Amino acid sequence: MDKLLIVWSSGEIEVAKKLVLLYGSVILPRGYWDEAHLMVWGPSAKLLAENTELQEMVAKVIDSGVKASVCVVCSEDYGVTEQLRAMGIEPVHTGELLTQALKSDWKVVTF
């Protein structure tokens, strides 16, 4: 199986809109990957919580079958854990998830 972990850490809106979420919304429907996971880490958690357009884009990504998680430490620091959880983004220890992906057969891309 082809599996992709997208690590989204950038707090820049254009990176989110024109790369991370645009690509993330089509990768499963178009068959680019068999499985995909969007990891929201750092400034991207705050950006997402503050921007309704990005929230709508993330909903489309999740609706396409991509799983999503957020760094629990970051989301707690920004005070956005429950807001992101309500969007279907699970708070996790991202360092553990990233390490597991790097040590297995997942491909990892970071933005």
Side-chain angles (χ1 to χ4, degrees):
M1 281 188 67
D2 290 324
K3 299 183 276 190
L4 179 66
L5 173 63
I6 300 170
V7 180
W8 173 26
S9 63
S10 173
E12 295 180 33
I13 193 166
E14 290 300 309
V15 171
K17 288 170 53 175
K18 301 297 185 193
L19 185 53
V20 177
L21 302 177
L22 178 62
Y23 181 62
S25 70
V26 300
I27 57 179
L28 294 182
R30 292 186 183 173
Y32 298 163
W33 298 92
D34 299 314
E35 186 176 344
H37 188 108
L38 174 65
M39 180 186 292
V40 181
W41 201 340
S44 60
K46 183 176 186 292
L47 177 66
L48 179 57
E50 296 173 346
N51 189 297
T52 57
E53 182 181 9
L54 295 182
Q55 292 167 14
E56 292 169 6
M57 292 179 78
V58 165
K60 183 178 177 185
V61 170
I62 292 171
D63 287 346
S64 78
V66 175
K67 295 190 178 12
S69 62
V70 62
C71 169
V72 67
V73 174
C74 300
S75 65
E76 289 293 325
D77 284 349
Y78 292 125
V80 298
T81 302
E82 293 311 314
Q83 183 180 355
L84 296 181
R85 187 191 309 268
M87 295 176 54
I89 303 171
E90 185 64 29
V92 299
H93 292 283
T94 46
E96 182 178 328
L97 181 60
L98 177 61
T99 300
Q100 290 172 355
L102 291 169
K103 289 183 173 186
S104 69
D105 57 347
W106 284 76
K107 303 293 188 246
V108 179
V109 63
T110 304
F111 301 101

